[in-house]
Amino acid sequence: MSNPLLDFSALPAFDRITPADVAPAIDTLLARADAALETVTAPGFPADWTAIARVLDVATEELGRAWGVVSHLNSVADTPELREAYNSNLAKLSEFYTELGQNLALFAKVKALAASADYAGLSAARRQIIEHQLRDFRLSGAELPDAEKTRFAEIQARLSELSARFSQNVLDATDG
């Protein structure tokens, strides 16, 4: 595998990751996550814990792992090129996760799972995760009117931008 950010077979290969790897990996993983989301929100897809986890959770976990590696490198091995790669992909990640949290079809699947007969048969840990997912959808604005969802997304994007800028200012001050 040529892009080390797409290799999930072992621990991250920090020494092989370059700023040029970031955008192609993030674009690939976002496309996979979008496809997974489309799959699990399709009308015929069951509101089933295992089925959803095997598709969506795997895709979002890989995306999160790769972005975590990039974020870590950005914090500990800061270079102008890596900073640019990080900043140019940050908005894509913020947009994806905001849309994921406001996805009404996925929210409906999770609500259907919570209301299903299978819910009682799930472990306490899985039921707690479902309850947290329902809470997180509400906190992400899934139940807001469309105009307010748009404003929420704008705020989330600005918050991620300001958080990154603050972290980079701290790094610069520390280096200085």
Side-chain angles (χ1 to χ4, degrees):
M1 186 167 292
S2 61
N3 191 324
L5 285 169
L6 297 174
D7 182 3
F8 302 105
S9 64
L11 294 173
F14 289 103
D15 60 327
R16 290 184 25 234
I17 298 168
T18 68
D21 295 324
V22 176
I26 296 303
D27 289 344
T28 297
L29 294 169
L30 280 169
R32 287 182 193 169
D34 283 334
L37 181 60
E38 189 174 322
T39 297
V40 301
T41 57
F45 197 88
D48 174 76
W49 169 272
T50 304
I52 292 171
R54 283 189 179 144
V55 177
L56 185 59
D57 290 356
V58 169
T60 56
E61 175 64 26
E62 288 178 348
L63 176 61
R65 180 176 170 188
W67 188 246
V69 169
V70 172
S71 296
H72 176 71
L73 283 173
N74 187 55
S75 296
V76 300
D78 185 43
T79 65
E81 297 81 15
L82 184 57
R83 188 177 286 196
E84 173 58 32
Y86 178 86
N87 288 333
S88 66
N89 286 279
L90 183 60
K92 294 183 226 176
L93 271 287
S94 181
E95 180 181 355
F96 172 78
Y97 282 111
T98 299
E99 288 176 3
L100 182 68
Q102 293 182 355
N103 187 293
L104 294 179
L106 183 59
F107 187 29
K109 294 275 182 175
V110 175
K111 286 194 287 190
L113 177 57
S116 73
D118 294 339
Y119 181 76
L122 295 174
S123 69
R126 287 185 177 180
R127 287 193 310 272
Q128 186 67 46
I129 291 169
I130 292 167
E131 292 304 317
H132 286 181
Q133 287 174 331
L134 291 170
R135 176 205 62 203
D136 292 346
F137 274 108
R138 290 180 184 103
L139 291 175
S140 295
E143 295 176 327
L144 291 173
D146 288 342
E148 291 178 25
K149 281 183 185 179
T150 301
R151 179 67 181 133
F152 182 89
E154 291 167 356
I155 292 168
Q156 288 297 101
R158 182 73 173 138
L159 177 61
S160 67
E161 176 188 327
L162 290 173
S163 295
R165 187 178 306 155
F166 177 81
S167 295
Q168 291 164 2
N169 287 343
V170 169
L171 281 172
D172 293 344
T174 302
D175 288 345

